[in-house]
Amino acid sequence: MKKIAVLAGDGVGPEVIAEAVKVLQIVDNKHRIGFDFKYNLIGACAIDAVGVPLPDETVAMCRSCDAVLLGAVGHPRFDRDPAAKVRPEQGLLKIRKELGLFANIRPIKSYPTLYNASPLKVKLLENVDFVVYRELTGGIYFGDKGRTNNGTQAFDLCSYSVEEITRIARLALAAAQKRRQHLTLVDKANVLETSRLWRETLSKTLSDFPDVTFDCMYVDNAAMKLIQQPAFFDVILTENMFGDILTDEASTITGSIGMLPSASVGNTTALFEPIHGSFPEGAGKGIANPMATILSAAMMLEHFGYTAAAREVTAAIDVALQKGIVTAEINPTHPKSTAEIGDFIASIIAEK
Ligand code: IPM
Ligand code: MG
């Protein structure tokens, strides 16, 4: 039995989550895992219902579950108001912090069936398969922030401790060992003291992972390399904000941000979510790509150790891609709806 906290959130969140749950239920019928889905609020919908983006009840429910499956948070009405005191995104940052999810794992790969959807040349897309380990509960996101000089000056502090760096570095290095044994630390050590601490700490951690080749790259250079030679990378390890920016950039390699899943892990309950946002313009239209969320559900299955079930899900996604069962951002002339894609993937899993 596995208890899953489902936080659908805002915008297209509920639509993509519905398809992931549909797929998980089919997996459950076959493999008799016994999923128990428990729903709660996060984001703008929580602000509307109870006044805060992450109610205590949601946190307590997540803590009592084996994993969290999250859709997306965010609503444009808050973006238009820079002075807003409560924002949906605070809910996302808070759940990461509350659950201690210090490592955000974002796999990026190119699918031959999607080569045409990518702005990059096909020869650059071949053999692209890397994973970003983004630190998720520290850095500039969580440092002191505020205003001075009567509000005319603002600051956001970026700070990291050896402990924060070591724990994610060990996870990333262990992942590299199981892959192509190559880790790239992305930083800005020519300017930032925190980056220098990342380098120093990583060099000390490396002795436990002698088989891993290690290099460092400045973030500006990495931003260029991701487009010029994405197949260079195997495991990228980086701090919170660099990871945020580079993974959005990396999504263009795959061809659609609607394809990229993520897992956030720490010491307790893990969380799985697509890397895309709430796509408010698309909400309620059935046009959102549910594959990133379904792939996140596959990462959850893998995390639980249901490797065969996870493979069935990713294989079904491959079939959908091969048959052109995709949403409009990938195939604008013959798009399928969010639910049609979920139905198709579920049917493939059920048949096998
Ligand atoms: C992400 C998102 C979030 C982040 C936002 C919504 C706060 O962009 O998960 O990448 O910056 O971490
Ligand atoms: Mg982001």
Side-chain angles (χ1 to χ4, degrees), residues 73 89 92-93 96 106 134 136 141 240 244 247-248 273 275:
V73 304
E89 290 79 5
L92 188 56
L93 299 179
R96 291 170 177 171
R106 297 184 163 183
R134 167 189 175 195
L136 202 60
Y141 271 58
N240 202 342
D244 177 45
T247 49
D248 262 31
E273 60 174 321
I275 89 154

Side-chain angles (χ1 to χ4, degrees), residues 97-113:
K97 196 71 169 179
E98 291 277 342
L99 298 179
L101 304 169
F102 59 81
N104 181 220
I105 304 162
R106 297 184 163 183
I108 316 275
K109 59 182 213 160
S110 62
Y111 294 85
T113 41

Side-chain angles (χ1 to χ4, degrees), residues 15 40 47 52-53 55 82 104 123 127 169 189 227 249 275 279 352:
E15 294 166 57
N40 228 317
I47 297 176
V52 291
N104 181 220
K123 70 172 197 299
N127 305 317
I227 301 299
E249 184 193 354
I275 89 154
F279 185 30
K352 281 262 164 67

Side-chain angles (χ1 to χ4, degrees), residues 63-215:
R63 284 218 176 91
S64 75
C65 285
D66 297 293
V68 182
L69 188 63
L70 191 145
V73 304
H75 193 283
R77 76 170 189 274
F78 298 91
D79 299 336
R80 281 185 236 115
D81 176 11
K85 286 265 178 309
V86 281
R87 313 183 143 270
E89 290 79 5
Q90 290 162 342
L92 188 56
L93 299 179
K94 191 168 169 211
I95 190 94
R96 291 170 177 171
K97 196 71 169 179
E98 291 277 342
L99 298 179
L101 304 169
F102 59 81
N104 181 220
I105 304 162
R106 297 184 163 183
I108 316 275
K109 59 182 213 160
S110 62
Y111 294 85
T113 41
L114 293 184
Y115 280 174
N116 283 334
S118 172
L120 299 197
K121 294 197 178 83
V122 170
K123 70 172 197 299
L124 298 178
L125 296 172
E126 280 157 10
N127 305 317
V128 173
D129 179 4
F130 63 92
V131 58
V132 179
Y133 274 69
R134 167 189 175 195
E135 201 289 328
L136 202 60
T137 52
I140 196 167
Y141 271 58
F142 290 93
D144 278 349
K145 45 191 92 256
R147 296 282 180 106
T148 50
N149 284 344
N150 295 324
T152 61
Q153 194 161 8
F155 61 91
D156 297 277
L157 182 73
C158 180
S159 133
Y160 271 109
S161 69
V162 168
E163 192 212 337
E164 284 175 304
I165 300 166
T166 309
R167 62 189 182 182
I168 186 169
R170 298 195 72 85
L171 289 185
L173 285 159
Q177 278 184 323
K178 293 204 200 103
R179 297 174 50 97
R180 301 193 304 278
Q181 296 90 36
H182 174 203
L183 182 133
T184 306
L185 173 66
V186 172
D187 64 22
K188 189 75 187 172
N190 48 349
V191 178
L192 302 178
E193 194 56 35
T194 41
S195 290
R196 293 190 272 269
L197 187 66
W198 274 81
R199 283 198 183 192
E200 195 182 298
T201 307
L202 196 61
S203 336
K204 286 182 189 145
T205 316
L206 281 171
S207 53
D208 290 341
F209 302 84
D211 47 338
V212 177
T213 314
F214 158 71
D215 46 38

